[in-house]
Amino acid sequence: MTTPRKNFIGINVSGTKVRAALVDDQGRIIERVESEISSENIVPQLATIAGDLRPALGTVVALGVALPGLVNRQTDRVVDPRGMPAPMVENLHAELTRATGLRVEIENDANAAAYGEFKVGAGRGSRNLFYMMIGDGIGGAIILDGKLWTGASGFAGEVGHITIDTEGLECVCGNTGCLETVASATNIVRRARERLYRDNTSSLSRLALNKNFTADDLAHEAREGDDFAAMMIERTGRYIGTGVANVINLLNIDCIVLGGGVMDAGSLILNPIIQEAKRRAFQPCFDATQIVAATLGTDAAVIGAALLARDAEQN
Ligand SMILES: [Zn+2]
């Protein structure tokens, strides 16, 4: 007789958007659902989504939820719901446990994505990993000796707020010149737009024809051979590489995984990141580090949440 197959559910809540998946014990997605939820009474909605993900074989053992807020894993409370109404997530753990009858784990989304990449994605096989998510904001997470290291108050890995330019722009965090003020998707667009107005030669860029271009458009034009777009991506890569060099020097880490929408520019951004990190990092630290693009895409947090639920009992 074979032991019944164990499955896990991973859910990633981001605003009113939910991605969920049934994941097997190897981290493979068996079935996935995407849906919109209203911001009121989130628990019954998530419980319904989880209830619909029933495996053909075996059972569902536990449920993991990744969300943008800061989570205290000891108390299972959402400490800082960042952008989500507090009543929506306050008692999420207790209520979701009651509503589903499953063991529930809740984790910050960047931490969950890092864990997914660490276990079954680009960081597989490494022991210590730094994960960087470069999108509308820049987040990060640290895994040391196979476990998430969240710091004294849960905020470890906030790489978006390391200072890159002491004379730089004011950041949402109150500091000036944070990495996020130059390299997040919104700030790449801001820099490109400012330069398009300033610099005549750049008006040859196809981006000048599109007043409302996004970071995705910029990456697309760069891949299509637009020199101006490629230059903006390359410079962005150098800023990120500077941040990466700081991480390498601080942690002497074996693997750095870079994910998020900005990395969709592929080698156009990855190569300058690696070059700049090499130029700035302490050589013996740099030589021990692999810098790679994430491989799980938008599934990273869903898979990571499911695997955190799988591994929580062992940890
Ligand atoms: Zn900041």
Side-chain angles (χ1 to χ4, degrees), residues 57-311:
L57 277 173
T59 54
V60 174
V61 178
L63 163 72
V65 182
L67 73 179
L70 175 66
V71 179
N72 181 330
R73 292 286 299 286
Q74 257 70 52
T75 60
D76 287 317
R77 305 281 291 186
V78 180
V79 184
D80 169 7
R82 285 200 219 170
M84 300 170 84
M88 175 172 160
V89 288
E90 226 163 22
N91 294 312
L92 187 61
H93 184 268
E95 288 177 20
L96 203 53
T97 305
R98 210 174 307 130
T100 60
L102 294 168
R103 181 165 56 75
V104 175
E105 298 293 331
I106 301 184
E107 186 52 270
N108 164 266
D109 53 3
N111 287 351
Y115 200 72
E117 292 289 348
F118 174 67
K119 285 290 177 181
V120 297
R124 197 178 181 154
S126 64
R127 183 155 182 79
N128 305 297
L129 176 144
F130 190 89
Y131 173 77
M132 213 165 174
M133 157 113 62
I134 311 147
D136 289 334
I138 299 181
I142 305 170
I143 292 172
L144 296 178
D145 279 334
K147 288 181 186 170
L148 274 169
W149 194 82
T150 53
S153 61
F155 283 103
E158 285 289 355
V159 71
H161 301 289
I162 58 171
T163 305
I164 291 294
D165 176 4
T166 52
E167 310 284 307
L169 291 182
E170 189 174 336
C171 180
V172 287
C173 74
N175 183 27
T176 51
C178 292
L179 179 58
E180 204 168 284
T181 66
V182 283
S184 70
T186 16
N187 280 299
I188 296 170
V189 170
R190 176 190 55 75
R191 283 173 36 235
R193 205 165 269 147
E194 282 170 9
R195 208 179 160 100
L196 271 175
Y197 286 124
R198 216 174 48 217
D199 179 352
N200 284 338
T201 55
S202 62
S203 63
L204 292 173
S205 168
R206 277 189 297 269
L207 285 170
L209 303 173
N210 177 0
K211 278 221 163 2
N212 298 310
F213 66 86
T214 63
D216 284 347
D217 298 329
L218 201 123
H220 174 78
E221 293 299 347
R223 282 194 305 267
E224 295 287 306
D226 185 293
D227 286 344
F228 173 75
M231 178 197 72
M232 292 309 298
I233 296 282
E234 200 257 340
R235 291 191 173 189
T236 303
R238 283 183 3 216
Y239 284 127
I240 299 168
T242 305
V244 165
N246 290 338
V247 170
I248 289 174
N249 283 359
L250 190 67
L251 296 174
N252 185 199
I253 201 111
D254 36 290
C255 186
I256 294 184
V257 176
L258 304 160
V262 170
M263 293 307 296
D264 289 347
S267 59
L268 287 175
I269 190 143
L270 185 61
N271 290 343
I273 290 174
I274 295 173
Q275 277 163 20
E276 193 68 11
K278 184 175 199 289
R279 203 165 75 78
R280 290 182 182 272
F282 187 49
Q283 177 102 30
C285 291
F286 178 83
D287 290 344
T289 311
Q290 252 199 309
I291 302 169
V292 290
T295 54
L296 300 181
T298 49
D299 288 334
V302 173
I303 295 173
L307 293 180
L308 279 163
R310 178 194 72 178
D311 298 344

